[in-house]
Amino acid sequence: MSHSGRPADNSTPAASPAAGDAVSDARRALARTFKQAGIADYTFEARILIEDLAGSGEWLDATAANRLRDALSRRLAGEPLWRVLGAREFWGLSFSLSPGTLEPRPDSESLIEATLHHLGQRRQEAMNFLDLGTGTGCLLIASLSEFPQARGIGVDLSEDALATAAGNAISNGVSERAEFRLARWDEGLTGRFDLILSNPPYIASDDIARLDSGVREYDPLLALDGGPDGLDAYRALAALLPARLAAGGRAVLEIGAGQEDQVRALMTAAGLRYLQSHRDLGGHSRALVFAGVM
């Protein structure tokens, strides 16, 4: 969950994009300002803002200049880049963000990779998917994009997140196969599922204050706080997964750093079979895959 945080020096003079500026000059000015503010990926961030907000011409018009000034001000105040832009890519798809959702992170793509590894041979089957704590809907929607005959349900405790996920399902072309419900875990659900995905809250409560400010101040606490030891959500999942997994089904769970052994123990004690761990971009165990008893 590492991100550029608040600038170390809030007195840093800001570039001030204006109508009539060359787009190339505006990009360089943004990069200089971000560098002076201590933003690590200053060149990347300047390029992304220009690509998203400057339009397609060589010169800034008034609308583009206003957008860039607003984005610059928000970014220098510590708001994460993708929050400023209102969307982030995940698995090649674009996902709108809202206050009730986590940002989809590239490391979470390991859950989609794990899903394809374990269920890819069933790609054309009419399967049922469940995403517990759906947030933006990124895990469910990305999975449905890879399994064209599957249908899925995304569950969340946040009405804001559910509305955002429903919009993302529409924009990514899977809304006819996706349903979103306000519930705690599997409340009100019936039947079994061929794939159960979850990126649950897994940060220990006392560790929240030590998170990067871009995470701590902008990601919803509901999606971060995993209780005193960070494992509350996994205990809940262990209690429900055996009864919700269909024969031949798979549960794919995201975990935090150092949680693999504890989560494996919880799931196997509940009667699930551990199958594999999939690593993220940094080489850390990120997605654990389980199956029901045979």
Side-chain angles (χ1 to χ4, degrees):
M1 291 188 176
S2 61
H3 296 272
S4 299
R6 287 190 182 279
D9 179 7
N10 287 327
S11 66
T12 300
S16 184
D21 287 354
V23 168
S24 58
D25 290 341
R27 178 181 54 78
R28 285 191 288 269
L30 288 174
R32 285 195 300 272
T33 298
F34 286 157
K35 182 178 182 180
Q36 291 168 357
I39 293 173
D41 296 328
Y42 55 90
T43 301
F44 170 78
E45 294 207 14
R47 176 174 61 81
I48 292 296
L49 287 181
I50 289 292
E51 288 177 355
D52 277 54
L53 303 177
S56 57
E58 295 183 14
W59 309 91
L60 295 181
D61 61 22
T63 299
N66 286 337
R67 288 174 180 163
L68 284 168
R69 284 196 297 270
D70 176 67
L72 177 64
S73 175
R74 291 166 62 185
R75 185 66 189 100
L76 291 177
E79 188 171 351
L81 173 67
W82 305 110
R83 295 277 179 194
V84 171
L85 293 174
R88 186 165 188 178
E89 182 180 298
F90 181 86
W91 204 251
L93 307 171
S94 180
F95 289 88
S96 293
L97 307 175
S98 65
T101 66
L102 290 175
E103 283 184 35
R105 265 72 172 200
D107 284 339
S108 296
E109 292 185 349
S110 60
L111 277 73
I112 309 303
E113 294 168 355
T115 294
L116 290 171
H117 180 80
H118 289 272
L119 291 176
Q121 72 279 10
R122 303 176 63 186
R123 217 169 189 149
Q124 299 304 319
E125 292 185 24
M127 294 189 288
N128 292 311
F129 294 173
L130 175 62
D131 181 14
L132 295 168
T134 196
T136 61
C138 65
L139 294 179
L140 179 63
I141 291 166
S143 297
L144 291 176
S145 76
E146 295 286 351
F147 292 80
Q149 305 305 317
R151 304 183 68 85
I153 298 173
V155 173
D156 207 286
L157 282 171
S158 166
E159 292 184 0
D160 174 78
L162 292 170
T164 302
N168 285 328
I170 293 170
S171 64
N172 286 297
V174 301
S175 60
E176 293 184 357
R177 297 186 287 124
E179 175 187 350
F180 297 96
R181 296 187 184 184
L182 183 70
R184 179 176 293 278
W185 302 118
D186 64 341
E187 284 177 346
L189 296 178
T190 59
R192 294 175 179 260
F193 297 86
D194 302 288
L195 172 67
I196 300 178
L197 297 157
S198 188
N199 177 12
Y202 55 68
I203 306 298
S205 301
D206 288 346
D207 292 340
I208 300 292
R210 292 188 286 274
L211 293 175
D212 182 277
S213 62
V215 176
R216 185 181 68 248
E217 297 179 16
Y218 291 93
D219 279 345
L221 182 64
L222 184 66
L224 296 173
D225 193 341
D229 62 358
L231 299 173
D232 281 1
Y234 299 106
R235 294 186 182 95
L237 289 167
L240 67 89
L241 288 175
R244 288 285 172 229
L245 273 179
R250 299 290 183 263
V252 184
L253 311 178
E254 179 160 336
I255 61 170
Q259 292 180 321
E260 179 174 1
D261 290 345
Q262 294 164 301
V263 174
R264 281 181 61 175
L266 284 170
M267 298 303 157
T268 55
L272 298 176
R273 288 186 294 122
Y274 168 75
L275 297 181
Q276 196 172 11
S277 169
H278 288 254
R279 298 189 177 276
D280 61 22
L281 297 172
H284 306 292
S285 180
R286 181 66 60 181
L288 301 186
V289 185
F290 299 91
V293 294
M294 299 180 67

mmCIF file of all heavy atoms in Angstrom, residues 204-247:
data_model
loop_
_atom_site.group_PDB
_atom_site.id
_atom_site.type_symbol
_atom_site.label_atom_id
_atom_site.label_comp_id
_atom_site.label_asym_id
_atom_site.label_seq_id
_atom_site.Cartn_x
_atom_site.Cartn_y
_atom_site.Cartn_z
ATOM 1 N N ALA A 204 -4.108 -4.336 10.889
ATOM 2 C CA ALA A 204 -4.376 -4.318 12.330
ATOM 3 C C ALA A 204 -4.754 -2.904 12.764
ATOM 4 O O ALA A 204 -4.167 -1.923 12.301
ATOM 5 C CB ALA A 204 -3.148 -4.796 13.106
ATOM 6 N N SER A 205 -5.731 -2.810 13.652
ATOM 7 C CA SER A 205 -6.280 -1.501 14.015
ATOM 8 C C SER A 205 -5.212 -0.509 14.451
ATOM 9 O O SER A 205 -5.246 0.673 14.057
ATOM 10 C CB SER A 205 -7.319 -1.668 15.132
ATOM 11 O OG SER A 205 -8.369 -2.510 14.730
ATOM 12 N N ASP A 206 -4.265 -0.955 15.260
ATOM 13 C CA ASP A 206 -3.234 -0.047 15.763
ATOM 14 C C ASP A 206 -2.248 0.395 14.694
ATOM 15 O O ASP A 206 -1.480 1.342 14.906
ATOM 16 C CB ASP A 206 -2.471 -0.703 16.920
ATOM 17 C CG ASP A 206 -3.296 -0.802 18.189
ATOM 18 O OD1 ASP A 206 -4.350 -0.144 18.262
ATOM 19 O OD2 ASP A 206 -2.888 -1.539 19.103
ATOM 20 N N ASP A 207 -2.255 -0.308 13.551
ATOM 21 C CA ASP A 207 -1.335 0.049 12.473
ATOM 22 C C ASP A 207 -1.911 1.083 11.515
ATOM 23 O O ASP A 207 -1.189 1.596 10.650
ATOM 24 C CB ASP A 207 -0.945 -1.202 11.674
ATOM 25 C CG ASP A 207 -0.086 -2.159 12.474
ATOM 26 O OD1 ASP A 207 0.512 -1.720 13.471
ATOM 27 O OD2 ASP A 207 -0.031 -3.358 12.113
ATOM 28 N N ILE A 208 -3.204 1.378 11.625
ATOM 29 C CA ILE A 208 -3.836 2.312 10.698
ATOM 30 C C ILE A 208 -3.139 3.676 10.741
ATOM 31 O O ILE A 208 -2.883 4.291 9.702
ATOM 32 C CB ILE A 208 -5.336 2.488 11.030
ATOM 33 C CG1 ILE A 208 -6.081 1.141 10.924
ATOM 34 C CG2 ILE A 208 -5.965 3.540 10.128
ATOM 35 C CD1 ILE A 208 -6.210 0.588 9.554
ATOM 36 N N ALA A 209 -2.812 4.132 11.951
ATOM 37 C CA ALA A 209 -2.213 5.457 12.097
ATOM 38 C C ALA A 209 -0.844 5.551 11.440
ATOM 39 O O ALA A 209 -0.371 6.659 11.146
ATOM 40 C CB ALA A 209 -2.104 5.825 13.575
ATOM 41 N N ARG A 210 -0.193 4.413 11.190
ATOM 42 C CA ARG A 210 1.144 4.418 10.597
ATOM 43 C C ARG A 210 1.126 4.238 9.083
ATOM 44 O O ARG A 210 2.192 4.206 8.455
ATOM 45 C CB ARG A 210 1.994 3.316 11.246
ATOM 46 C CG ARG A 210 2.318 3.603 12.709
ATOM 47 C CD ARG A 210 3.316 2.608 13.268
ATOM 48 N NE ARG A 210 2.699 1.316 13.512
ATOM 49 C CZ ARG A 210 2.061 0.994 14.635
ATOM 50 N NH1 ARG A 210 1.927 1.889 15.612
ATOM 51 N NH2 ARG A 210 1.540 -0.216 14.799
ATOM 52 N N LEU A 211 -0.048 4.109 8.501
ATOM 53 C CA LEU A 211 -0.132 3.981 7.055
ATOM 54 C C LEU A 211 0.250 5.293 6.377
ATOM 55 O O LEU A 211 0.161 6.372 6.965
ATOM 56 C CB LEU A 211 -1.559 3.598 6.640
ATOM 57 C CG LEU A 211 -2.062 2.213 7.047
ATOM 58 C CD1 LEU A 211 -3.529 2.060 6.655
ATOM 59 C CD2 LEU A 211 -1.218 1.115 6.404
ATOM 60 N N ASP A 212 0.653 5.191 5.125
ATOM 61 C CA ASP A 212 0.901 6.375 4.326
ATOM 62 C C ASP A 212 -0.344 7.269 4.354
ATOM 63 O O ASP A 212 -1.476 6.784 4.313
ATOM 64 C CB ASP A 212 1.218 5.942 2.891
ATOM 65 C CG ASP A 212 1.549 7.107 1.990
ATOM 66 O OD1 ASP A 212 0.604 7.747 1.479
ATOM 67 O OD2 ASP A 212 2.737 7.366 1.787
ATOM 68 N N SER A 213 -0.144 8.564 4.392
ATOM 69 C CA SER A 213 -1.284 9.480 4.516
ATOM 70 C C SER A 213 -2.243 9.366 3.342
ATOM 71 O O SER A 213 -3.446 9.566 3.495
ATOM 72 C CB SER A 213 -0.791 10.923 4.643
ATOM 73 O OG SER A 213 -0.078 11.318 3.476
ATOM 74 N N GLY A 214 -1.721 9.040 2.151
ATOM 75 C CA GLY A 214 -2.600 8.886 1.001
ATOM 76 C C GLY A 214 -3.568 7.738 1.159
ATOM 77 O O GLY A 214 -4.670 7.762 0.598
ATOM 78 N N VAL A 215 -3.173 6.727 1.923
ATOM 79 C CA VAL A 215 -4.064 5.608 2.232
ATOM 80 C C VAL A 215 -4.922 5.944 3.441
ATOM 81 O O VAL A 215 -6.152 5.841 3.415
ATOM 82 C CB VAL A 215 -3.247 4.318 2.499
ATOM 83 C CG1 VAL A 215 -4.159 3.175 2.924
ATOM 84 C CG2 VAL A 215 -2.452 3.937 1.262
ATOM 85 N N ARG A 216 -4.272 6.387 4.508
ATOM 86 C CA ARG A 216 -4.958 6.617 5.786
ATOM 87 C C ARG A 216 -6.061 7.666 5.678
ATOM 88 O O ARG A 216 -7.120 7.546 6.292
ATOM 89 C CB ARG A 216 -3.918 7.055 6.817
ATOM 90 C CG ARG A 216 -4.436 7.229 8.229
ATOM 91 C CD ARG A 216 -3.325 7.677 9.159
ATOM 92 N NE ARG A 216 -2.855 9.032 8.882
ATOM 93 C CZ ARG A 216 -1.657 9.333 8.407
ATOM 94 N NH1 ARG A 216 -0.777 8.387 8.136
ATOM 95 N NH2 ARG A 216 -1.304 10.594 8.179
ATOM 96 N N GLU A 217 -5.817 8.709 4.890
ATOM 97 C CA GLU A 217 -6.747 9.827 4.855
ATOM 98 C C GLU A 217 -7.765 9.753 3.719
ATOM 99 O O GLU A 217 -8.752 10.492 3.735
ATOM 100 C CB GLU A 217 -5.971 11.139 4.757
ATOM 101 C CG GLU A 217 -5.094 11.391 5.982
ATOM 102 C CD GLU A 217 -4.298 12.677 5.874
ATOM 103 O OE1 GLU A 217 -4.645 13.515 5.015
ATOM 104 O OE2 GLU A 217 -3.330 12.830 6.640
ATOM 105 N N TYR A 218 -7.539 8.856 2.753
ATOM 106 C CA TYR A 218 -8.429 8.846 1.596
ATOM 107 C C TYR A 218 -9.099 7.498 1.344
ATOM 108 O O TYR A 218 -10.168 7.455 0.737
ATOM 109 C CB TYR A 218 -7.669 9.298 0.341
ATOM 110 C CG TYR A 218 -7.301 10.756 0.393
ATOM 111 C CD1 TYR A 218 -6.064 11.168 0.882
ATOM 112 C CD2 TYR A 218 -8.208 11.732 -0.004
ATOM 113 C CE1 TYR A 218 -5.732 12.505 0.952
ATOM 114 C CE2 TYR A 218 -7.888 13.078 0.060
ATOM 115 C CZ TYR A 218 -6.649 13.464 0.538
ATOM 116 O OH TYR A 218 -6.324 14.800 0.622
ATOM 117 N N ASP A 219 -8.501 6.391 1.757
ATOM 118 C CA ASP A 219 -9.171 5.104 1.638
ATOM 119 C C ASP A 219 -10.136 4.935 2.810
ATOM 120 O O ASP A 219 -9.841 5.383 3.933
ATOM 121 C CB ASP A 219 -8.155 3.953 1.636
ATOM 122 C CG ASP A 219 -7.511 3.751 0.271
ATOM 123 O OD1 ASP A 219 -8.038 4.284 -0.718
ATOM 124 O OD2 ASP A 219 -6.489 3.054 0.200
ATOM 125 N N PRO A 220 -11.287 4.300 2.595
ATOM 126 C CA PRO A 220 -12.272 4.164 3.680
ATOM 127 C C PRO A 220 -11.779 3.244 4.790
ATOM 128 O O PRO A 220 -11.265 2.146 4.528
ATOM 129 C CB PRO A 220 -13.497 3.579 2.970
ATOM 130 C CG PRO A 220 -12.945 2.894 1.761
ATOM 131 C CD PRO A 220 -11.766 3.711 1.335
ATOM 132 N N LEU A 221 -11.944 3.677 6.028
ATOM 133 C CA LEU A 221 -11.515 2.886 7.176
ATOM 134 C C LEU A 221 -12.187 1.519 7.186
ATOM 135 O O LEU A 221 -11.570 0.512 7.562
ATOM 136 C CB LEU A 221 -11.830 3.639 8.474
ATOM 137 C CG LEU A 221 -11.399 2.968 9.782
ATOM 138 C CD1 LEU A 221 -9.876 2.849 9.843
ATOM 139 C CD2 LEU A 221 -11.912 3.764 10.980
ATOM 140 N N LEU A 222 -13.435 1.463 6.755
ATOM 141 C CA LEU A 222 -14.180 0.213 6.724
ATOM 142 C C LEU A 222 -13.465 -0.853 5.895
ATOM 143 O O LEU A 222 -13.551 -2.047 6.194
ATOM 144 C CB LEU A 222 -15.576 0.469 6.139
ATOM 145 C CG LEU A 222 -16.567 -0.697 6.092
ATOM 146 C CD1 LEU A 222 -16.958 -1.123 7.504
ATOM 147 C CD2 LEU A 222 -17.806 -0.299 5.290
ATOM 148 N N ALA A 223 -12.742 -0.412 4.867
ATOM 149 C CA ALA A 223 -12.053 -1.349 3.985
ATOM 150 C C ALA A 223 -10.616 -1.625 4.406
ATOM 151 O O ALA A 223 -9.930 -2.439 3.770
ATOM 152 C CB ALA A 223 -12.061 -0.810 2.551
ATOM 153 N N LEU A 224 -10.155 -0.963 5.466
ATOM 154 C CA LEU A 224 -8.778 -1.128 5.928
ATOM 155 C C LEU A 224 -8.674 -1.892 7.238
ATOM 156 O O LEU A 224 -7.801 -2.748 7.400
ATOM 157 C CB LEU A 224 -8.121 0.245 6.111
ATOM 158 C CG LEU A 224 -7.922 1.124 4.885
ATOM 159 C CD1 LEU A 224 -7.411 2.496 5.319
ATOM 160 C CD2 LEU A 224 -6.965 0.482 3.898
ATOM 161 N N ASP A 225 -9.546 -1.575 8.189
ATOM 162 C CA ASP A 225 -9.392 -2.024 9.577
ATOM 163 C C ASP A 225 -9.812 -3.487 9.730
ATOM 164 O O ASP A 225 -10.993 -3.827 9.678
ATOM 165 C CB ASP A 225 -10.217 -1.136 10.496
ATOM 166 C CG ASP A 225 -9.874 -1.332 11.965
ATOM 167 O OD1 ASP A 225 -9.282 -2.371 12.318
ATOM 168 O OD2 ASP A 225 -10.203 -0.441 12.771
ATOM 169 N N GLY A 226 -8.814 -4.336 9.971
ATOM 170 C CA GLY A 226 -9.064 -5.761 10.126
ATOM 171 C C GLY A 226 -9.153 -6.224 11.566
ATOM 172 O O GLY A 226 -9.059 -7.430 11.836
ATOM 173 N N GLY A 227 -9.328 -5.282 12.506
ATOM 174 C CA GLY A 227 -9.430 -5.666 13.906
ATOM 175 C C GLY A 227 -8.078 -5.681 14.586
ATOM 176 O O GLY A 227 -7.053 -5.353 13.982
ATOM 177 N N PRO A 228 -8.033 -6.068 15.863
ATOM 178 C CA PRO A 228 -6.790 -5.980 16.649
ATOM 179 C C PRO A 228 -5.592 -6.667 16.018
ATOM 180 O O PRO A 228 -4.464 -6.155 16.104
ATOM 181 C CB PRO A 228 -7.177 -6.632 17.981
ATOM 182 C CG PRO A 228 -8.649 -6.402 18.087
ATOM 183 C CD PRO A 228 -9.182 -6.505 16.691
ATOM 184 N N ASP A 229 -5.791 -7.805 15.400
ATOM 185 C CA ASP A 229 -4.667 -8.515 14.785
ATOM 186 C C ASP A 229 -4.740 -8.549 13.266
ATOM 187 O O ASP A 229 -3.934 -9.222 12.610
ATOM 188 C CB ASP A 229 -4.555 -9.941 15.330
ATOM 189 C CG ASP A 229 -5.786 -10.794 15.035
ATOM 190 O OD1 ASP A 229 -6.756 -10.268 14.439
ATOM 191 O OD2 ASP A 229 -5.781 -11.985 15.415
ATOM 192 N N GLY A 230 -5.699 -7.842 12.687
ATOM 193 C CA GLY A 230 -5.843 -7.810 11.236
ATOM 194 C C GLY A 230 -6.528 -9.020 10.641
ATOM 195 O O GLY A 230 -6.650 -9.124 9.419
ATOM 196 N N LEU A 231 -7.008 -9.937 11.477
ATOM 197 C CA LEU A 231 -7.533 -11.212 10.979
ATOM 198 C C LEU A 231 -9.037 -11.391 11.169
ATOM 199 O O LEU A 231 -9.575 -12.461 10.859
ATOM 200 C CB LEU A 231 -6.801 -12.374 11.659
ATOM 201 C CG LEU A 231 -5.294 -12.449 11.420
ATOM 202 C CD1 LEU A 231 -4.679 -13.541 12.295
ATOM 203 C CD2 LEU A 231 -4.985 -12.704 9.943
ATOM 204 N N ASP A 232 -9.734 -10.365 11.647
ATOM 205 C CA ASP A 232 -11.165 -10.520 11.905
ATOM 206 C C ASP A 232 -11.927 -10.969 10.657
ATOM 207 O O ASP A 232 -12.805 -11.849 10.724
ATOM 208 C CB ASP A 232 -11.760 -9.200 12.408
ATOM 209 C CG ASP A 232 -11.473 -8.947 13.881
ATOM 210 O OD1 ASP A 232 -10.799 -9.788 14.516
ATOM 211 O OD2 ASP A 232 -11.915 -7.891 14.389
ATOM 212 N N ALA A 233 -11.628 -10.361 9.519
ATOM 213 C CA ALA A 233 -12.352 -10.702 8.295
ATOM 214 C C ALA A 233 -12.089 -12.153 7.883
ATOM 215 O O ALA A 233 -12.997 -12.838 7.391
ATOM 216 C CB ALA A 233 -11.947 -9.755 7.167
ATOM 217 N N TYR A 234 -10.868 -12.615 8.093
ATOM 218 C CA TYR A 234 -10.555 -13.992 7.693
ATOM 219 C C TYR A 234 -11.271 -15.006 8.590
ATOM 220 O O TYR A 234 -11.638 -16.090 8.124
ATOM 221 C CB TYR A 234 -9.045 -14.213 7.714
ATOM 222 C CG TYR A 234 -8.322 -13.296 6.759
ATOM 223 C CD1 TYR A 234 -7.590 -12.205 7.222
ATOM 224 C CD2 TYR A 234 -8.404 -13.497 5.386
ATOM 225 C CE1 TYR A 234 -6.950 -11.352 6.361
ATOM 226 C CE2 TYR A 234 -7.762 -12.650 4.499
ATOM 227 C CZ TYR A 234 -7.042 -11.570 4.992
ATOM 228 O OH TYR A 234 -6.420 -10.720 4.118
ATOM 229 N N ARG A 235 -11.480 -14.645 9.833
ATOM 230 C CA ARG A 235 -12.267 -15.534 10.710
ATOM 231 C C ARG A 235 -13.706 -15.639 10.198
ATOM 232 O O ARG A 235 -14.298 -16.726 10.181
ATOM 233 C CB ARG A 235 -12.227 -15.023 12.146
ATOM 234 C CG ARG A 235 -10.842 -15.080 12.777
ATOM 235 C CD ARG A 235 -10.864 -14.698 14.257
ATOM 236 N NE ARG A 235 -9.510 -14.723 14.795
ATOM 237 C CZ ARG A 235 -8.718 -13.663 14.880
ATOM 238 N NH1 ARG A 235 -9.161 -12.472 14.486
ATOM 239 N NH2 ARG A 235 -7.495 -13.761 15.359
ATOM 240 N N ALA A 236 -14.252 -14.501 9.783
ATOM 241 C CA ALA A 236 -15.604 -14.515 9.219
ATOM 242 C C ALA A 236 -15.649 -15.320 7.924
ATOM 243 O O ALA A 236 -16.590 -16.098 7.694
ATOM 244 C CB ALA A 236 -16.081 -13.079 8.976
ATOM 245 N N LEU A 237 -14.653 -15.154 7.098
ATOM 246 C CA LEU A 237 -14.610 -15.908 5.841
ATOM 247 C C LEU A 237 -14.465 -17.406 6.091
ATOM 248 O O LEU A 237 -15.104 -18.226 5.422
ATOM 249 C CB LEU A 237 -13.453 -15.399 4.976
ATOM 250 C CG LEU A 237 -13.650 -14.009 4.362
ATOM 251 C CD1 LEU A 237 -12.337 -13.482 3.809
ATOM 252 C CD2 LEU A 237 -14.708 -14.052 3.276
ATOM 253 N N ALA A 238 -13.630 -17.762 7.047
ATOM 254 C CA ALA A 238 -13.447 -19.185 7.359
ATOM 255 C C ALA A 238 -14.760 -19.827 7.788
ATOM 256 O O ALA A 238 -15.024 -20.998 7.489
ATOM 257 C CB ALA A 238 -12.389 -19.350 8.449
ATOM 258 N N ALA A 239 -15.592 -19.058 8.475
ATOM 259 C CA ALA A 239 -16.863 -19.596 8.960
ATOM 260 C C ALA A 239 -17.875 -19.810 7.847
ATOM 261 O O ALA A 239 -18.735 -20.694 7.946
ATOM 262 C CB ALA A 239 -17.450 -18.656 10.015
ATOM 263 N N LEU A 240 -17.780 -19.033 6.771
ATOM 264 C CA LEU A 240 -18.814 -19.123 5.740
ATOM 265 C C LEU A 240 -18.381 -19.845 4.467
ATOM 266 O O LEU A 240 -19.227 -20.398 3.744
ATOM 267 C CB LEU A 240 -19.327 -17.721 5.387
ATOM 268 C CG LEU A 240 -18.380 -16.741 4.681
ATOM 269 C CD1 LEU A 240 -18.446 -16.866 3.160
ATOM 270 C CD2 LEU A 240 -18.720 -15.301 5.093
ATOM 271 N N LEU A 241 -17.091 -19.849 4.160
ATOM 272 C CA LEU A 241 -16.647 -20.379 2.872
ATOM 273 C C LEU A 241 -16.973 -21.854 2.651
ATOM 274 O O LEU A 241 -17.396 -22.231 1.539
ATOM 275 C CB LEU A 241 -15.145 -20.133 2.688
ATOM 276 C CG LEU A 241 -14.734 -18.688 2.416
ATOM 277 C CD1 LEU A 241 -13.215 -18.562 2.379
ATOM 278 C CD2 LEU A 241 -15.340 -18.182 1.117
ATOM 279 N N PRO A 242 -16.803 -22.741 3.631
ATOM 280 C CA PRO A 242 -17.077 -24.150 3.349
ATOM 281 C C PRO A 242 -18.498 -24.406 2.853
ATOM 282 O O PRO A 242 -18.724 -25.268 1.994
ATOM 283 C CB PRO A 242 -16.823 -24.836 4.701
ATOM 284 C CG PRO A 242 -15.821 -23.956 5.372
ATOM 285 C CD PRO A 242 -16.214 -22.561 4.980
ATOM 286 N N ALA A 243 -19.462 -23.648 3.347
ATOM 287 C CA ALA A 243 -20.852 -23.842 2.939
ATOM 288 C C ALA A 243 -21.194 -23.105 1.650
ATOM 289 O O ALA A 243 -22.257 -23.355 1.065
ATOM 290 C CB ALA A 243 -21.796 -23.376 4.052
ATOM 291 N N ARG A 244 -20.314 -22.221 1.195
ATOM 292 C CA ARG A 244 -20.624 -21.414 0.004
ATOM 293 C C ARG A 244 -19.875 -21.867 -1.245
ATOM 294 O O ARG A 244 -20.235 -21.486 -2.357
ATOM 295 C CB ARG A 244 -20.280 -19.948 0.278
ATOM 296 C CG ARG A 244 -21.246 -19.276 1.240
ATOM 297 C CD ARG A 244 -22.564 -18.970 0.566
ATOM 298 N NE ARG A 244 -23.567 -18.507 1.523
ATOM 299 C CZ ARG A 244 -24.785 -18.991 1.597
ATOM 300 N NH1 ARG A 244 -25.157 -19.982 0.783
ATOM 301 N NH2 ARG A 244 -25.645 -18.537 2.482
ATOM 302 N N LEU A 245 -18.824 -22.673 -1.082
ATOM 303 C CA LEU A 245 -18.064 -23.115 -2.248
ATOM 304 C C LEU A 245 -18.745 -24.304 -2.912
ATOM 305 O O LEU A 245 -19.059 -25.303 -2.261
ATOM 306 C CB LEU A 245 -16.644 -23.503 -1.850
ATOM 307 C CG LEU A 245 -15.587 -22.400 -1.812
ATOM 308 C CD1 LEU A 245 -14.253 -22.978 -1.366
ATOM 309 C CD2 LEU A 245 -15.441 -21.737 -3.180
ATOM 310 N N ALA A 246 -18.940 -24.200 -4.224
ATOM 311 C CA ALA A 246 -19.488 -25.316 -4.986
ATOM 312 C C ALA A 246 -18.417 -26.385 -5.167
ATOM 313 O O ALA A 246 -17.221 -26.140 -4.993
ATOM 314 C CB ALA A 246 -19.968 -24.822 -6.346
ATOM 315 N N ALA A 247 -18.853 -27.579 -5.511
ATOM 316 C CA ALA A 247 -17.897 -28.649 -5.831
ATOM 317 C C ALA A 247 -17.003 -28.191 -6.971
ATOM 318 O O ALA A 247 -17.485 -27.700 -8.002
ATOM 319 C CB ALA A 247 -18.648 -29.910 -6.220
#
